[in-house]
Amino acid sequence: RQAAMTTPPPDPLARLEAHVGRLFVAGVSVSGAMLAAGLALFLFAPDAPAASKLLNAGLLVLMATPMLRVLLSMVVYVRMGDWFFASTTLAVIAQLSVTIWAALRLRG
């Protein structure tokens, strides 16, 4: 009788890297499309308010992409039960959040 061939479970860190890669591609693609559309609109109709909104949105998506990577990493570390890295990523998220909050507060 042959022993059943079993495949090892997928490595959570390898899956994390695959997810992060897809996240970066999506974030940069969406951001690039928004920035290109905003720039094109600005070049053809400089007074159009949509151009400024598209450019700002493209920059926000570009800046949010690394923060989403940290959030995704935290979720994976919590699911793995790796509490050291989960708490470390939580501390990074807290620091980023405080920085964004302070910047928005000082701006207004």
Side-chain angles (χ1 to χ4, degrees), residues 43-59:
L43 291 174
F44 292 112
D47 295 331
S52 177
K53 289 181 182 178
L54 276 170
L55 290 169
N56 286 332
L59 290 174

Side-chain angles (χ1 to χ4, degrees), residues 12-88:
L13 294 178
R15 287 183 25 222
L16 172 63
E17 291 304 317
H19 289 313
V20 166
R22 285 192 293 273
L23 175 70
F24 279 151
V25 168
V28 170
S29 298
V30 169
S31 173
M34 292 174 135
L35 289 169
L39 180 61
L41 189 56
F42 177 76
L43 291 174
F44 292 112
D47 295 331
S52 177
K53 289 181 182 178
L54 276 170
L55 290 169
N56 286 332
L59 290 174
L60 283 174
V61 169
L62 187 63
M63 290 185 291
T65 302
M67 193 166 181
L68 290 173
R69 185 236 193 272
V70 176
L71 284 169
L72 178 65
S73 298
M74 188 184 75
V75 169
V76 170
Y77 290 135
V78 166
R79 292 179 80 189
M80 286 174 44
D82 191 338
W83 303 114
F84 174 76
F85 284 113
S87 60
T88 302

